[in-house]
């Protein structure tokens, strides 16, 4: 796991690296491609993410492109974290949750196409319910990753 712009994230990164290294095979395989940064450092290049990043404490992207390379990016909303006066453990839980999004692959329900709705095979409400259940499953899996390492968020 790397830091795009070194600052206080470095301590958190080192602690989590020590926690995960040798204990999580997926992390060991991809940790060199995982980067942590604050929203203020990537905001200008990613205005399309503003609403989603501002809605929470962090956001992760599994295929972030920068200088013709792809990597995994965890964006921390430092303003929301500061407002919440998070402890170091709470902050680590948030980063672990985002790592859970990047490293876990929860089973997903196949989403019927909009054509299935048009043809009457499924209603729009049923399709929307499947989409929502997939979102919930992703959050449960991400939370379980933080819990697995002793952090609740």
């Amino acid at each position: 796991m790397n830091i795009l712009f070194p600052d206080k994230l470095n301590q958190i990164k080192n602690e989590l690296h020590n926690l995960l290294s040798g204990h999580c095979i997926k992390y060991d395989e991809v940790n060199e491609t995982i980067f942590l940064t604050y929203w203020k450092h990537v905001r200008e290049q990613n205005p399309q993410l503003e609403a989603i990043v501002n809605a929470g404490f962090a956001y992760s992207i599994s295929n972030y492109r920068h200088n013709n390379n792809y990597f995994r990016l965890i964006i921390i909303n430092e303003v929301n974290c500061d407002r919440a006066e998070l402890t170091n453990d709470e902050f680590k839980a948030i980063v672990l949750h985002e790592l859970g999004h990047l490293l876990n692959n929860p089973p997903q329900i196949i989403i019927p196409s909009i054509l299935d709705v048009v043809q009457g095979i499924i209603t729009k409400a049923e399709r929307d319910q499947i989409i929502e259940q997939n979102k919930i499953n992703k959050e449960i899996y991400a939370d379980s990753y933080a819990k697995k390492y002793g952090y609740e968020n």
Side-chain angles (χ1 to χ4, degrees):
M1 191 167 18
N2 303 287
I3 305 291
L4 279 180
F5 300 94
D7 53 16
K8 70 182 183 178
L9 281 180
N10 200 39
Q11 175 190 352
I12 300 296
K13 177 208 67 116
N14 289 335
E15 290 176 21
L16 291 178
H17 178 76
N18 291 338
L19 177 71
L20 299 172
S21 186
H23 301 285
C24 176
I25 294 168
K26 181 72 173 178
Y27 175 81
D28 289 338
E29 291 173 354
V30 301
N31 81 75
E32 292 300 319
T33 67
I34 299 171
F35 289 82
L36 283 166
T37 192
Y38 283 120
W39 175 230
K40 67 184 175 187
H41 295 303
V42 294
R43 174 183 278 139
E44 285 185 28
Q45 302 93 326
N46 301 281
Q48 74 281 8
L49 297 176
E50 186 151 1
I52 195 160
V53 174
N54 285 338
F57 294 115
Y59 181 70
S60 55
I61 304 171
S62 59
N63 288 308
Y64 185 80
R65 186 174 181 184
H66 182 70
N67 293 336
N68 293 320
N69 293 309
Y70 289 92
F71 55 92
R72 295 160 178 86
L73 182 65
I74 298 174
I75 301 169
I76 305 296
N77 183 323
E78 69 279 10
V79 173
N80 288 350
C81 290
D82 287 345
R83 273 190 205 135
E85 299 178 358
L86 299 176
T87 66
N88 273 355
D89 282 351
E90 290 169 330
F91 196 85
K92 284 186 243 180
I94 288 167
V95 174
L96 282 167
H97 174 93
E98 295 306 322
L99 282 169
H101 283 300
L102 297 175
L103 303 176
N104 279 334
N105 295 310
Q108 298 287 290
I109 303 165
I110 297 172
I111 301 170
S113 74
I114 199 70
L115 187 57
D116 292 331
V117 174
V118 171
Q119 293 176 339
I121 297 169
I122 190 170
T123 67
K124 180 176 180 326
E126 290 169 325
R127 182 177 186 273
D128 291 345
Q129 187 176 12
I130 291 170
I131 292 168
E132 188 60 30
Q133 187 59 52
N134 281 344
K135 289 178 185 177
I136 291 168
N137 288 347
K138 287 179 183 179
E139 292 305 315
I140 290 169
Y141 267 68
D143 282 346
S144 70
Y145 193 79
K147 289 177 185 176
K148 176 180 177 179
Y149 291 99
Y151 293 87
E152 305 273 334
N153 61 349

